[in-house]
Amino acid sequence: MQRWMLAVLIGIAAAPGAQAKVLYSETFDNGPGGWVTMDPAAEQPTTSAGVAHAGAALVSTYQVGPGIAPHLLAMPGPPALGGARAVRLWVRTVDATPLGVMFAEQNGARYVALASSLANVWQHLEISIDRFRLAEDTDDPTGHLDLDHLAAIAVVDLAGMFPGANGPARRTTLWLDDVRIDDEEAPTS
């Protein structure tokens, strides 16, 4: 009988579907959660339940177009995220646009993973940490992404980096919802 119980316990411990350990989570149901825009000309983000994927969503309205710097929506001073294996978030943009999800280290290094957003569609992005690459305009003395020493987490609308790709300068909006960083690998395609 003891062998049977031991086999059951081992089977349960090895069974897939164990809950991921959540290292950071923000639903925006209770406000912006510390997320800000780094653009002094843009309005600070607010939250709205009317357009959310679920509950409320962070809403950021800003200018985009040729000669306008990429819009950066950031959460400064995140907790230590050592052991993280994936970033998961819901995003929606007015226009189809290239996006970057970024970790900025305290030493100034920035690591970015690229994604794209379709126009006016909520999309669930899941990005494994091993997909983040050192930004070409930064150096990292440690040579690797250090998730325990971050200055910020950010989502960046990169349309401003592609002059003429998205037409004339105009106001646009990005919605962000259910940001989660955990220790479970993201699916890859």
Side-chain angles (χ1 to χ4, degrees):
M1 179 116 164
Q2 290 177 350
R3 284 185 184 171
W4 177 81
M5 289 177 71
L6 181 59
V8 169
L9 291 174
I10 290 172
I12 291 171
Q19 288 291 92
K21 180 181 177 186
V22 177
L23 303 168
Y24 172 79
S25 178
E26 182 56 65
T27 63
F28 304 108
D29 291 346
N30 297 313
W35 285 74
V36 297
T37 180
M38 304 312 251
D39 177 358
E43 303 165 19
Q44 286 303 312
T46 60
T47 56
S48 174
V51 295
H53 156 71
L58 190 69
V59 180
S60 185
T61 301
Y62 52 97
Q63 287 286 116
V64 66
I68 299 173
H71 180 70
L72 190 128
L73 191 57
M75 204 287 284
L81 298 172
R85 297 187 65 201
V87 176
R88 303 166 205 284
L89 55 93
W90 285 87
V91 66
R92 178 179 172 190
T93 54
V94 169
D95 302 304
T97 189
L99 295 175
V101 178
M102 182 179 75
F103 289 111
E105 292 185 346
Q106 293 170 358
N107 68 11
R110 293 188 319 277
Y111 286 81
V112 181
L114 300 177
S116 61
S117 176
L118 300 173
N120 291 310
V121 176
W122 277 107
Q123 292 176 250
H124 189 219
L125 303 179
E126 296 182 286
I127 306 168
S128 291
I129 297 300
D130 65 2
R131 302 284 182 175
F132 285 78
R133 299 292 179 254
L134 182 64
E136 291 181 8
D137 63 342
T138 65
D139 290 319
D140 188 351
T142 68
H144 67 278
L145 175 56
D146 185 351
L147 294 168
D148 283 328
H149 296 97
L150 295 176
I153 302 166
V155 175
V156 186
D157 181 338
L158 298 169
M161 295 184 69
F162 303 98
N166 288 321
R170 68 200 172 286
R171 285 176 66 77
T172 192
T173 302
L174 179 146
W175 294 270
L176 184 62
D177 202 4
D178 295 331
V179 178
R180 175 179 151 154
I181 300 173
D182 60 43
D183 69 350
E184 184 178 318
E185 193 73 29
T188 56
S189 52

